[in-house]
Amino acid sequence: MTIFTDDDILILDERYAIADIPFHARPFRAAMEILGEHFVVGVGGNPLVGEIEQAYARLIPEVNFTWPGMGTGLAASLDRVRKVTIGVVYGTVDITVDKGLGFSNVSAP
Protein backbone atom coordinates (compact mmCIF):
# COMPACT_ATOMS: atom_id res chain seq x y z
CA MET A 1 0.00 0.00 0.00
CA THR A 2 1.26 3.46 -0.90
CA ILE A 3 1.29 6.07 1.83
CA PHE A 4 1.84 9.78 1.23
CA THR A 5 2.04 12.82 3.49
CA ASP A 6 1.32 16.51 3.07
CA ASP A 7 5.08 17.05 3.03
CA ASP A 8 5.41 14.68 0.06
CA ILE A 9 2.90 16.77 -1.88
CA LEU A 10 4.50 20.09 -0.88
CA ILE A 11 7.93 18.85 -1.98
CA LEU A 12 6.50 17.75 -5.32
CA ASP A 13 4.68 21.08 -5.71
CA GLU A 14 7.91 23.00 -5.22
CA ARG A 15 9.57 20.87 -7.89
CA TYR A 16 6.60 21.39 -10.24
CA ALA A 17 6.71 25.16 -9.66
CA ILE A 18 10.41 25.26 -10.58
CA ALA A 19 9.66 23.16 -13.69
CA ASP A 20 6.81 25.60 -14.57
CA ILE A 21 4.16 22.85 -14.53
CA PRO A 22 0.71 24.52 -14.61
CA PHE A 23 -1.38 24.27 -11.44
CA HIS A 24 -4.13 22.25 -13.10
CA ALA A 25 -1.69 19.48 -14.08
CA ARG A 26 0.07 19.09 -10.74
CA PRO A 27 -2.32 16.80 -8.78
CA PHE A 28 -2.51 14.21 -11.56
CA ARG A 29 1.27 14.29 -11.99
CA ALA A 30 1.76 13.94 -8.23
CA ALA A 31 -0.50 10.90 -8.20
CA MET A 32 1.55 9.38 -11.03
CA GLU A 33 4.82 9.97 -9.18
CA ILE A 34 3.61 8.86 -5.76
CA LEU A 35 1.87 5.70 -6.97
CA GLY A 36 4.36 4.72 -9.67
CA GLU A 37 3.36 1.36 -11.15
CA HIS A 38 0.22 1.36 -8.99
CA PHE A 39 -1.13 4.44 -10.77
CA VAL A 40 -4.36 3.36 -12.50
CA VAL A 41 -7.33 5.57 -13.47
CA GLY A 42 -10.72 4.74 -14.89
CA VAL A 43 -12.89 1.70 -14.19
CA GLY A 44 -11.18 -0.41 -11.57
CA GLY A 45 -8.61 2.32 -11.00
CA ASN A 46 -6.65 2.95 -7.85
CA PRO A 47 -8.75 5.03 -5.38
CA LEU A 48 -5.55 6.58 -4.04
CA VAL A 49 -5.36 8.67 -7.23
CA GLY A 50 -8.43 10.61 -6.10
CA GLU A 51 -7.18 10.82 -2.52
CA ILE A 52 -3.87 12.31 -3.66
CA GLU A 53 -5.67 14.79 -5.92
CA GLN A 54 -7.98 15.82 -3.05
CA ALA A 55 -5.06 16.23 -0.65
CA TYR A 56 -3.22 18.31 -3.26
CA ALA A 57 -6.27 20.58 -3.70
CA ARG A 58 -6.56 20.98 0.07
CA LEU A 59 -2.94 22.12 0.31
CA ILE A 60 -2.76 24.14 -2.93
CA PRO A 61 -6.30 25.39 -3.70
CA GLU A 62 -5.23 27.01 -6.99
CA VAL A 63 -5.37 23.60 -8.63
CA ASN A 64 -9.18 23.70 -8.35
CA PHE A 65 -9.73 26.94 -10.22
CA THR A 66 -6.92 27.33 -12.73
CA TRP A 67 -6.55 25.70 -16.11
CA PRO A 68 -4.67 26.56 -19.32
CA GLY A 69 -7.16 29.21 -20.41
CA MET A 70 -7.35 30.90 -17.05
CA GLY A 71 -5.01 33.09 -15.05
CA THR A 72 -4.86 33.95 -11.37
CA GLY A 73 -2.88 36.86 -10.02
CA LEU A 74 -2.88 40.09 -8.06
CA ALA A 75 -3.56 43.68 -9.10
CA ALA A 76 -2.65 46.59 -6.86
CA SER A 77 -3.58 50.26 -6.84
CA LEU A 78 -1.84 52.24 -4.11
CA ASP A 79 -2.98 50.56 -0.89
CA ARG A 80 -5.67 48.29 -2.38
CA VAL A 81 -4.91 44.80 -3.62
CA ARG A 82 -7.32 42.47 -5.40
CA LYS A 83 -7.06 38.84 -6.35
CA VAL A 84 -7.74 38.56 -10.07
CA THR A 85 -9.02 35.48 -11.87
CA ILE A 86 -9.33 35.68 -15.64
CA GLY A 87 -11.50 33.05 -17.26
CA VAL A 88 -12.02 32.07 -20.84
CA VAL A 89 -14.93 33.98 -22.34
CA TYR A 90 -17.03 32.95 -25.29
CA GLY A 91 -18.92 35.51 -27.34
CA THR A 92 -18.67 39.28 -27.05
CA VAL A 93 -17.90 40.90 -23.73
CA ASP A 94 -17.72 44.56 -22.80
CA ILE A 95 -15.73 45.00 -19.60
CA THR A 96 -13.36 47.74 -18.45
CA VAL A 97 -10.07 47.02 -16.73
CA ASP A 98 -11.24 48.54 -13.43
CA LYS A 99 -14.40 46.37 -13.39
CA GLY A 100 -12.42 43.28 -14.38
CA LEU A 101 -10.13 43.86 -11.40
CA GLY A 102 -13.05 44.25 -9.01
CA PHE A 103 -12.84 48.01 -8.47
CA SER A 104 -16.09 49.97 -8.45
CA ASN A 105 -14.77 52.65 -10.85
CA VAL A 106 -11.65 53.86 -12.61
CA SER A 107 -11.01 56.68 -10.09
CA ALA A 108 -9.21 56.41 -6.79
CA PRO A 109 -11.53 56.80 -3.78
Side-chain angles (χ1 to χ4, degrees):
M1 178 173 180
T2 304
I3 297 180
F4 65 95
T5 66
D6 288 354
D7 286 338
D8 295 331
I9 291 173
L10 294 172
I11 289 167
L12 287 173
D13 188 67
E14 182 177 353
R15 195 170 75 200
Y16 298 157
I18 291 168
D20 203 26
I21 309 252
F23 281 113
H24 75 280
R26 294 178 187 184
F28 193 77
R29 186 172 294 222
M32 287 173 39
E33 286 196 43
I34 291 169
L35 296 174
E37 64 184 29
H38 301 287
F39 176 82
V40 180
V41 293
V43 177
N46 187 337
L48 281 176
V49 172
E51 289 181 32
I52 292 167
E53 290 177 324
Q54 287 174 358
Y56 208 112
R58 177 178 47 80
L59 295 169
I60 296 98
E62 291 84 358
V63 302
N64 280 334
F65 56 84
T66 59
W67 61 292
M70 182 185 253
T72 303
L74 296 175
S77 173
L78 298 175
D79 63 343
R80 296 170 64 189
V81 177
R82 301 269 199 241
K83 177 182 169 189
V84 181
T85 302
I86 308 296
V88 174
V89 178
Y90 296 95
T92 304
V93 175
D94 183 26
I95 189 164
T96 61
V97 173
D98 55 302
K99 297 276 191 271
L101 296 177
F103 296 100
S104 59
N105 59 51
V106 73
S107 306

